[in-house]
Amino acid sequence: MARIELTDIRKVYAGGVEAVKGVSLSIDDGEFVVLVGPSGCGKSTLLRMVAGLESITSGTVRIGERVVNELEPAERDIAMVFQNYALYPHMSVRQNLEYGLKNRKMAMPEIARRVDEAAGILEIAPLLDRKPGQLSGGQRQRVAMGRAIVREPAAFLFDEPLSNLDAKLRVQMRAEIRRLQRRLATTSLYVTHDQLEAMTLADQLVVMNGGRIEQAGRPMDLYERPASLFVATFIGSPAMNLVPLDSTGGAGEGLAGLDGLPGAASEGVVLGIRPEHMRLVEAGREPGEFVADLTVTGVEVVGAESYVFGALAEKGPEIAVRVPGYSHLEPGTKVRAAGRLDAVHRFDSASGRRLD
Ligand SMILES: Nc1ncnc2c1ncn2[C@@H]1O[C@H](COP(=O)(O)OP(=O)(O)O)[C@@H](O)[C@H]1O
Ligand SMILES: [Mg+2]
């Protein structure tokens, strides 16, 4: 096991694309770090530089005590799990698990011990004699994990390992990977574009955007105190509601009670509030609340709860409000929503940065 330390890592591809623009990141021994961000933001490039599959333009990668920039992938003591499993189709599960260890001329009894242990942990012992083609997607994913585990590496690297699975299996495997990582306590760097997967897996969540880190920290800290508009809207579903005060005539047309807000609600400020911090009200408001007059545009019924979407004022933004149970509101209905003032975030509209 080991710490991983990235210092000011950059990657410029031949042809000039700067995919990673100076990233520094520390991953503690045994920590599970998830890199999340939209497609093309440089996640895979960063991971591949740690793995040694891509050259590093500048900066240093340390795994344990060593700077590994110039080391071959095989010398870095890491194991990578990919989206497409990369299993050998003509080999049995057992042979797939043994393959990397045999290549390293490990003694047969040690290979057998590791394979049996991994098969036990992953509950794939009954599948050892099958070929990958005779396995379900989830079983293949488990074998791919097994191949990483038997190497007993200093760190696991995952690149969107669950993307090929259906929704139900993805949730199940997500929980399995988390349990497994806790049990093995192996330092892990995991890449995904799925913010929910990222939230549920990470000890430390790292949000990337355009080749840079937007924010890193514990998942709930990012959720509760997003450092930028980008993080505010990327983490959480439905996304945080945003009201740019410029577009609503400075004071916020359709809004009342913002004078109770700590910090100014004026032009150049974007207000943010999550759907669960708002509620539909008949009239009036409680102390500590503001109100928004909305025209319903649609309803999403999730099951135990619904989200009511409504337009603020004439040309204002759409606001989502979480309501319990099944909402029957028709589009066009006028409703009033109240939101907690202490749950309002303020951002600078020019820079997108959080104001307080
Ligand atoms: N081999 C390559 N050559 C040139 N550009 C690349 C190469 N691989 C990726 N890129 C570019 O680098 C950027 C980041 O890509 P990538 O790391 O794959 O993003 P992500 O994994 O977040 O979707 C993208 O603009 C992509 O087009
Ligand atoms: Mg990728």
Side-chain angles (χ1 to χ4, degrees):
M1 273 169 279
R3 266 176 73 79
I4 299 179
E5 184 93 39
L6 311 184
T7 312
D8 203 15
I9 297 293
R10 281 177 66 242
K11 175 68 184 185
V12 183
Y13 281 110
V17 176
E18 189 177 8
V20 176
K21 302 175 179 171
V23 164
S24 297
L25 177 65
S26 294
I27 307 173
D28 274 343
D29 190 12
E31 193 180 25
F32 199 137
V33 171
V34 180
L35 277 182
V36 67
S39 176
C41 74
K43 306 180 296 293
S44 293
T45 300
L46 191 62
L47 196 75
R48 291 169 61 81
M49 286 192 283
V50 177
L53 300 172
E54 204 66 74
S55 66
I56 300 165
T57 305
S58 66
T60 49
V61 176
R62 276 192 187 76
I63 300 177
E65 300 305 311
R66 300 185 300 171
V67 173
V68 300
N69 284 44
E70 304 303 328
L71 296 185
E72 292 295 317
E75 299 168 322
R76 295 191 184 195
D77 197 17
I78 45 101
M80 187 134 171
V81 182
F82 298 94
Q83 173 185 136
N84 59 11
Y85 320 129
L87 301 177
Y88 297 109
H90 58 287
M91 292 185 194
S92 69
V93 168
R94 180 183 290 281
Q95 288 167 330
N96 265 284
L97 294 177
E98 289 173 345
Y99 185 76
L101 305 183
K102 280 186 172 163
N103 263 355
R104 285 194 269 162
K105 312 265 187 289
M106 190 177 283
M108 222 28 231
E110 175 63 9
I111 293 178
R113 180 193 72 75
R114 290 189 183 196
V115 168
D116 289 338
E117 186 178 306
I121 290 171
L122 291 161
E123 297 174 4
I124 52 172
L127 309 177
L128 284 172
D129 295 323
R130 292 203 203 164
K131 300 267 171 66
Q134 299 167 306
L135 304 176
S136 70
Q139 289 169 334
R140 270 179 232 173
Q141 187 56 60
R142 245 177 246 147
V143 176
M145 285 290 304
R147 215 173 31 179
I149 291 173
V150 294
R151 297 183 48 189
E152 301 182 358
F156 292 132
L157 305 178
F158 300 89
D159 195 352
E160 311 235 6
L162 306 182
S163 299
N164 282 344
L165 303 177
D166 65 47
K168 184 167 171 228
L169 200 50
R170 211 156 56 218
V171 172
Q172 195 183 324
M173 289 302 295
R174 188 167 88 198
E176 279 187 29
I177 287 181
R178 190 69 190 108
R179 267 199 303 277
L180 193 63
Q181 196 273 344
R182 284 252 157 84
R183 171 166 173 183
L184 300 172
T186 303
T187 310
S188 298
L189 181 56
Y190 185 108
V191 160
T192 177
H193 65 275
D194 181 335
Q195 60 91 20
L196 189 58
E197 197 170 297
M199 284 289 286
T200 50
L201 282 172
D203 294 321
Q204 184 185 176
L205 184 57
V206 178
V207 178
M208 277 185 77
N209 179 26
R212 291 199 173 85
I213 293 180
E214 281 274 333
Q215 191 175 7
R218 286 182 306 180
M220 277 316 284
D221 290 344
L222 267 62
Y223 188 83
E224 288 173 349
R225 270 189 78 78
S228 65
L229 283 169
F230 182 86
V231 177
T233 50
F234 193 78
I235 304 290
S237 175
M240 181 186 286
N241 297 306
L242 298 180
V243 182
L245 291 178
D246 324 21
S247 74
T248 53
E253 198 183 328
L255 296 173
L258 285 176
D259 42 330
L261 201 63
S266 54
E267 228 165 284
V269 172
V270 179
L271 301 182
I273 184 163
R274 295 209 179 270
E276 68 266 30
H277 294 139
M278 300 194 73
R279 62 193 184 96
L280 293 183
V281 292
E282 290 299 319
R285 57 186 156 96
E286 300 290 321
E289 285 184 332
F290 69 95
V291 288
D293 288 317
L294 307 174
T295 307
V296 174
T297 50
V299 172
E300 269 180 16
V301 179
V302 183
E305 61 201 25
S306 304
Y307 292 93
V308 173
F309 295 85
L312 181 68
E314 275 295 294
K315 299 186 283 288
E318 191 169 69
I319 303 283
V321 180
R322 188 175 75 179
V323 299
Y326 191 163
S327 170
H328 297 274
L329 283 169
E330 292 291 332
T333 312
K334 307 274 186 203
V335 294
R336 171 163 283 194
R340 283 170 37 198
L341 286 166
D342 66 358
V344 173
H345 308 254
R346 296 188 323 123
F347 302 92
D348 178 63
S349 66
S351 66
R353 305 309 297 175
R354 179 183 196 87
L355 285 170
D356 42 24

